[in-house]
Amino acid sequence: MAKIIQAQALRDIAAAIVKAGGSSDTEAKTVADNLVMANLSGHDSHGVGMIPRYIDAVLEGGLVPNTSVKAMLDIGTMLTLDAQRGYGQVVAEQAMQMGIARAKQHGSCIMTLAHAHHIGRIGHWAEMAVAEGLVSIHFVNVLSRPVVAPWGGGDGRFGTNPCCIGVPVAGREPFILDFATSRVAQGKMRVAHNEGKQVEPGLLINEHGVPTTDPGVVVVPQSNGLFGALMTFGEHKGYGMAVACELLGGALTGSGTWHSAGDFKRSVYNGMLTILIDPAKLGTQLAYEQEALAFVDWLKQGPAAPGVDAVKIAGEPERKARAEREKSGISLDDTTWGEIVEAGRKVGAAVAA
Ligand SMILES: NC(=O)c1ccc[n+]([C@@H]2O[C@H](COP(=O)([O-])OP(=O)(O)OC[C@H]3O[C@@H](n4cnc5c(N)ncnc54)[C@H](O)[C@@H]3O)[C@@H](O)[C@H]2O)c1
């Protein structure tokens, strides 16, 4: 049985728990709004289901409430930020605001963000820049557990390392390509496992390196105490993108790469390289606007394949989900809801079960 909750009620519950964990009212609201936006966008894996993990991370000391970014270098076109293990929803918002302001002034900004606690759905950050007319490119690594196997490898060696490209399209909705470099996000395996479902073949290997459809292999330790692993998308090419995210999001930012066995700490850290470009300053604005519009329209005028309603561009599924879920409410499975109630209990925020 799933529980259906309207977005605003869920924001209030999420904010109350985060606040009880030691955050200011403003921080609790920012975190809650961001997580519920992920649910609304159809990405439940990055929504309020993360709260139990965040609260555990706060209680363990790996996530530090009420923390801001610290500028290590700021020369306008280059911005180097240390998030100091603050809430990702807060520090990434601060970082994007700073990067956007500098890109609008100088035409571009290369911004690095190190040591952020989980920054959630990366598309959220691209959407912020695109709303200001900027192109926004993101390479992110994840320090949590080595849950994804290299192409041709038999165990997990790195995280689900997301990559995101946001491009404004004048006269149309923007292109927001936002994906984990694993075939699927780890959180989706948690959701499937909580719901007792098997997943399609080709996503996972078990703790012995053998393909499996059981999402539990990456959620709970297996018989030998080890985990299985997710596979990368696009075979060797997706694997290459995952390594690029680790090198750019983890090494170049100074945030750190993964190179040790997993542990059971609840913190999740992201490093992010962001490249912001202002097309208005590049000298190609007119051609860019005309060509982007013409291309997107050309794509969408093509015939749909059998069984498909229409050709879409990236970002459309999230916008459609938002429109639907704003009306119908957000569905949470019993396990996720129970974990949220329990997280509230741990910090003294009573949530009606
Ligand atoms: N912070 C972290 O540590 C972390 C780690 C991994 C993933 N994530 C986030 O997890 C989320 C989910 O990632 P995912 O890989 O499961 O995403 P996904 O597979 O659901 O979507 C990937 C992209 O494909 C687009 N898309 C989907 N269907 C389409 C269609 N029919 N036509 C055209 N485009 C289409 C979507 O708009 C999206 O941009 C992302 O928001 C990602 O940023 C975050």
Side-chain angles (χ1 to χ4, degrees):
M1 267 291 288
K3 192 173 180 73
I4 311 278
I5 309 183
Q6 291 301 316
Q8 191 49 48
L10 198 51
R11 284 187 198 103
D12 293 344
I13 293 167
I17 300 174
V18 172
K19 186 180 169 188
S23 292
S24 67
D25 283 330
T26 314
E27 174 160 288
K29 182 178 182 320
T30 302
V31 174
D33 287 358
N34 179 290
L35 293 176
V36 172
M37 179 57 98
N39 287 109
L40 285 172
S41 305
H43 293 290
D44 293 320
S45 54
H46 288 71
V48 294
M50 290 302 290
I51 286 179
R53 192 139 190 196
Y54 292 176
I55 292 299
D56 286 350
V58 168
L59 296 174
E60 278 177 11
L63 166 53
V64 187
N66 309 315
T67 301
S68 296
V69 293
K70 184 170 153 198
M72 313 300 286
L73 175 95
D74 182 1
I75 56 167
T77 53
M78 286 189 164
L79 182 59
T80 306
L81 300 172
D82 186 346
Q84 310 187 96
R85 297 183 290 134
Y87 263 106
Q89 290 72 14
V90 171
V91 291
E93 186 175 89
Q94 291 171 349
M96 288 304 298
Q97 282 165 347
M98 292 170 80
I100 288 168
R102 282 149 188 77
K104 293 197 97 153
Q105 187 181 352
H106 302 289
S108 65
C109 180
I110 293 172
M111 183 264 282
T112 65
L113 182 67
H115 312 125
H117 196 265
H118 190 242
I119 61 177
R121 196 176 67 87
I122 311 306
H124 190 88
W125 313 120
E127 282 162 3
M128 257 180 93
V130 159
E132 297 288 332
L134 304 178
V135 170
S136 196
I137 303 168
H138 308 259
F139 296 92
V140 180
N141 85 324
V142 191
L143 300 183
S144 156
R145 237 172 51 207
V147 75
V148 185
W151 178 243
D155 71 355
R157 293 274 141 174
F158 47 86
T160 52
N161 294 2
C163 182
C164 178
I165 302 173
V167 183
V169 180
R172 298 287 180 274
E173 295 284 4
F175 171 82
I176 306 283
L177 177 64
D178 172 26
F179 58 94
T181 47
S182 51
R183 279 283 312 272
V184 284
Q186 150 79 6
K188 289 196 172 133
M189 298 299 96
R190 173 171 50 82
V191 172
H193 176 69
N194 286 350
E195 290 175 351
K197 292 182 181 157
Q198 294 286 300
V199 299
E200 63 186 271
L203 307 185
L204 297 162
I205 54 174
N206 69 14
E207 70 280 18
H208 306 294
V210 177
T212 178
T213 56
D214 174 9
V217 298
V218 290
V219 181
V220 287
Q222 300 300 293
S223 51
N224 55 3
L226 298 174
F227 288 89
L230 299 165
M231 294 164 80
T232 55
F233 84 98
E235 303 172 334
H236 55 290
K237 303 177 195 183
Y239 163 53
M241 284 295 290
V243 174
C245 285
E246 196 75 23
L247 294 175
L248 298 175
L252 189 64
T253 60
S255 198
T257 61
W258 192 277
H259 43 72
S260 61
D263 59 38
F264 289 91
K265 294 210 176 89
R266 299 283 279 165
S267 311
V268 186
Y269 298 113
N270 285 137
M272 175 164 75
L273 171 72
T274 297
I275 302 166
L276 294 155
I277 304 168
D278 186 353
K281 290 230 171 20
L282 199 59
T284 60
Q285 177 87 349
L286 192 60
Y288 157 62
E289 286 186 356
Q290 287 171 350
E291 292 299 320
L293 179 62
F295 180 63
V296 166
D297 284 352
W298 161 255
L299 278 180
K300 296 182 74 69
Q301 282 154 10
V308 175
D309 53 349
V311 172
K312 301 184 187 71
I313 64 160
E316 272 184 64
E318 287 74 15
R319 290 189 285 268
K320 184 162 179 279
R322 259 173 238 163
E324 286 168 3
R325 291 184 176 197
E326 285 281 8
K327 284 199 206 117
S328 64
I330 293 160
S331 170
L332 296 176
D333 67 85
D334 283 347
T335 307
T336 302
W337 178 247
E339 287 170 357
I340 291 171
V341 173
E342 173 60 13
R345 195 198 54 75
K346 283 183 188 171
V347 287
V351 178

